[in-house]
Structures are given as C-alpha cells and as structure tokens.
Amino acid sequence: MSRPTFSGDYQLLTTRPDKRRLSTEDPEYVYVCPNTDITAAYMYAKAYYSDATTNVHSVSLSNLNKGETKCVDIGFAAMSYNSSIPVGETISKIEVYVGTADTEDDGDKLTYIPYTPLSDLKLRVYYSNSYGGLDSLICIGDRQETVESSYQMASVQIAHDAVLQESPQFIIQNSRGRRSFEIHTGHMPEKELKALRELGVKKPLSIYETVNGTATL
C-alpha cells in the first residue's frame, strides 16, 4: 500500500495500484481529496483507442475546497465511454485525473484497463479503505449465500406428563443471524490482490445489487 503520497494539488484516495481493471458493467467510484483550493475543477477520463486516437470525457467537480473529499462515478454507464469509440476500434486504456483543463495530466493519475466479467452471476463489493476512499471488488462465477445463527443449550422445565422428545432442546441466541458469502474473484493482478488486504481488516463494505429494478448500494 504505497499510495497515496499526498503531494501535488490533489490526491485520489485509493489503496489499489495506479494501473487497475475497470469493469464495463459496474460502477467505479473515485474519491478526490484536494490539498489546496481548486476553482472550476473537472474529473477527466482520457480514453485511448486501438487506432491510436483519444477522446476526453469529463465531469464537473465545481470548486474543490482543501481537505473536502468528493466522490465521482467514472464507470462506463456514468461516463458514456462507448459513445465515442471509433467504428471497428476498442478502448485500450483510460487515464483518470483532475484539473481545470484536460491537458493538466501531471497530477495523481489512475490508469484503467477495461474488461468484461465472464459470468452473469456477480457479487459487487465496495469497501472503505485506509485513506477514506472507496475501493471495489467485482467477483465472478457462482456464489453461495448462507445465513448463520447462534444457538445455545436450553434449560427447560418439563411437566411430569411431558415427553422429552417434544421439548425444545435449543434456543436461538442471535435471531438476526449472520450472512456469509463464498465468492470467486477469478484471475487478478498481484498488486490488486495485495490491495485486498484492506478488505480483511474490519472496515465498512457495501454490496451493489439491483432491487426491484433499482440499483442499490
């Protein structure tokens, strides 16, 4: 976890490596922390195509105040990357950075390599990291969800005419239970696997699902 260095005008709050994957089907959130006031700032996403051409997508961040973080969704649906792909070409990479002009790309910058998860059965996990940002884990393949409840031995007084087998022998100690998942990430670059150590520490996490047609975290 060598990031961030907290140098320059701003920092992108993530513990994942500078080069990482970007799912074409899921949101991706980036937290911006300005180290100084920035007037009329933008989040830029510069797409590089297989024919060596480029196109810059942008989101207005308005005025950034020193130390006040701002969250931006730079996923495919939010930024409409597909709308600018030249006919017959593909996106080779996307560079994300902040500035007041799209040529100001010398600050903290992330490079995303687009990919499409191979399975329709996915678990989308977004978790808080040590720097106050939000990192993602897109899982693939079958997943099994279980709910575990805690029980303890019951101390029950039995009537003189009762049958032992008819008396409850256990009571629920934790009626809410605990949800657990068996998940599969598929192949991941080594540096991204190291960044997942953050998920192993006690930190808040959210699961992204579509409930009754509404995308929900």
Side-chain angles (χ1 to χ4, degrees):
M1 296 188 300
S2 58
R3 309 190 81 253
T5 58
F6 293 108
S7 61
D9 293 337
Y10 69 93
Q11 195 67 42
L12 302 177
L13 300 180
T14 174
T15 57
R16 295 173 64 193
D18 293 343
K19 294 183 179 179
R20 76 272 299 275
R21 303 181 301 171
L22 175 65
S23 169
T24 60
E25 300 178 351
D26 304 290
E28 181 72 18
Y29 302 99
V30 177
Y31 272 74
V32 182
C33 180
N35 297 324
T36 184
D37 293 342
I38 305 176
T39 303
Y42 284 84
M43 170 74 76
Y44 294 107
K46 187 175 183 179
Y48 291 77
Y49 306 115
S50 50
D51 63 354
T53 61
T54 62
N55 186 73
V56 179
H57 301 258
S58 64
V59 175
S60 174
L61 304 179
S62 301
N63 296 333
L64 296 179
N65 300 318
K66 180 179 179 180
E68 294 183 5
T69 61
K70 184 165 292 190
C71 180
V72 185
D73 181 359
I74 52 93
F76 265 68
M79 300 295 285
S80 300
Y81 296 117
N82 290 333
S83 64
S84 60
I85 300 178
V87 177
E89 305 298 332
T90 58
I91 299 177
S92 58
K93 67 177 181 178
I94 299 171
E95 292 181 345
V96 173
Y97 52 95
V98 174
T100 56
D102 59 14
T103 54
E104 297 178 1
D105 61 351
D106 56 346
D108 191 21
K109 182 165 56 178
L110 301 175
T111 300
Y112 288 91
I113 308 301
Y115 81 106
T116 300
L118 299 179
S119 174
D120 292 333
L121 297 172
K122 293 184 296 179
L123 184 65
R124 308 163 177 90
V125 177
Y126 297 87
Y127 59 96
S128 302
N129 60 46
S130 299
Y131 301 131
L134 197 68
D135 286 332
S136 63
L137 172 62
I138 309 299
C139 303
I140 63 174
D142 295 335
R143 69 177 187 266
Q144 181 178 4
E145 178 181 355
T146 59
V147 178
E148 300 173 356
S149 297
S150 300
Y151 295 83
Q152 66 183 18
M153 291 295 296
S155 177
V156 182
Q157 290 187 356
I158 303 176
H160 72 281
D161 57 348
V163 179
L164 180 63
Q165 288 83 351
E166 296 176 350
S167 303
Q169 300 299 303
F170 295 89
I171 60 175
I172 297 176
Q173 185 178 27
N174 179 7
S175 60
R176 295 183 62 186
R178 174 178 295 177
R179 298 173 71 195
S180 61
F181 296 90
E182 180 178 328
I183 61 177
H184 306 274
T185 63
H187 173 74
M188 294 187 71
E190 181 180 357
K191 289 184 178 180
E192 290 210 36
L193 284 174
K194 289 183 178 180
L196 281 180
R197 290 180 297 181
E198 290 276 274
L199 189 56
V201 182
K202 185 178 180 181
K203 294 186 179 300
L205 63 86
S206 299
I207 297 176
Y208 180 87
E209 293 181 342
T210 301
V211 180
N212 296 327
T214 302
T216 305
L217 262 182

